[in-house]
Amino acid sequence: MSAMSTAASTSVFGDLMNAHQTVASNTPATVAAAKFADYLEEKQSAGKLPSVAPGRSPTPDQLAKVLFGTAYDPDTKTVRLEKLAAEVQKGTAEFAGQFKQRLTAFGVAANMPVELSTGVDGRIIVDNSHPKAAEIAKIFADDPVLAQAYRNIAAQNDQLTLMQAGAAYVKDWNAAKTDGERTALWNRYSTLMNKMTSMFSGRITFGPSTVVAESQQMLRRMGLS
């Protein structure tokens, strides 16, 4: 897989992403699935939004401690995700090319969309609407390297989406004039962000010429993009 650089992963995603990416590419599928389940538990814990007293809202500094890493500038209280977003997009496109080549090698035509997602056991799930779903699922079952590459890129897209939602909150927080406005903002954003994380499933659709991450679509549907 061509994932984002180790430096970027360390500086922005921190221990959360490192725990995910340390699953060796040649690990047997059963062990990889178990480690991925552990990662999901860590992700839920690490991505937890900060607790605040009723009628209060977390400051950008407080939210940065659990979400932004070095993407947050404490001096300007702004979040810069452009570089990270570009790296995730690049990694996703590179995986899409690799996946397309693998489909072609196994005699599966790449002229119709393939929807992939990750199960709680780390298994790569292929949407049954594809006529070759069973064959595609077998490709991943037989190739732990490819399966792990997908888990990585799917998790990066989901985490980026959560960070982008948090960045939108920080922008609105900075523009708010009163504590009451900031509390109302937190009530809205925390509800949306919790809903988003509960719906994350690492789903990405690979079309003949497009790649669509469901988490990014979710961001747009919630009016946060």
Side-chain angles (χ1 to χ4, degrees):
M1 180 198 105
S2 297
M4 69 180 74
S5 67
T6 302
S9 297
T10 301
S11 64
V12 180
F13 290 103
D15 293 339
L16 169 64
M17 290 309 299
N18 283 340
H20 183 36
Q21 292 176 340
T22 53
V23 178
S25 61
N26 61 352
T27 301
T30 53
V31 178
K35 290 187 179 237
F36 188 69
D38 292 340
Y39 155 72
L40 289 176
E41 185 176 345
E42 291 172 12
K43 176 182 174 182
Q44 184 178 19
S45 174
K48 187 177 295 184
L49 300 180
S51 298
V52 293
R56 301 298 297 271
S57 62
T59 66
D61 290 341
Q62 289 173 316
L63 192 59
K65 291 179 180 179
V66 299
L67 195 59
F68 300 129
T70 57
Y72 175 69
D73 184 341
D75 294 328
T76 62
K77 297 192 182 302
T78 57
V79 186
R80 300 299 300 270
L81 295 176
E82 294 86 353
K83 181 179 179 181
L84 178 62
E87 289 172 338
V88 173
Q89 184 178 25
K90 179 175 182 288
T92 303
E94 289 174 345
F95 174 84
Q98 179 186 4
F99 179 47
K100 186 175 182 179
Q101 289 178 351
R102 192 61 59 86
L103 290 177
T104 301
F106 278 81
V108 178
N111 60 354
M112 66 179 300
V114 180
E115 182 183 287
L116 304 177
S117 60
T118 54
V120 293
D121 59 354
R123 181 170 52 92
I124 309 304
I125 300 171
V126 184
D127 187 81
N128 285 330
S129 64
H130 196 287
K132 298 289 186 179
E135 288 89 337
I136 298 171
K138 191 174 187 306
I139 292 174
F140 285 104
D142 292 344
D143 189 343
V145 175
L146 186 69
Q148 189 59 38
Y150 181 73
R151 294 184 191 104
N152 288 342
I153 206 66
Q156 289 166 13
N157 273 279
D158 284 357
Q159 186 67 12
L160 173 63
T161 297
L162 184 62
M163 294 170 75
Q164 288 169 321
Y169 165 74
V170 169
K171 181 179 179 180
D172 287 349
W173 190 96
N174 287 331
K177 304 299 183 184
T178 67
D179 287 343
E181 290 178 358
R182 294 187 176 109
T183 297
L185 284 171
W186 180 242
N187 290 339
R188 173 176 179 256
Y189 276 96
S190 62
T191 298
L192 289 175
M193 291 165 74
N194 278 319
K195 182 178 180 181
M196 289 169 67
T197 54
S198 70
M199 296 171 66
F200 283 165
S201 60
R203 180 176 291 107
I204 303 178
T205 300
F206 297 88
S209 59
T210 60
V211 179
V212 179
E214 171 61 20
S215 55
Q216 287 291 305
Q217 290 287 83
M218 193 183 304
L219 193 75
R220 287 186 279 271
R221 288 197 298 269
M222 291 182 174
L224 300 181
S225 61

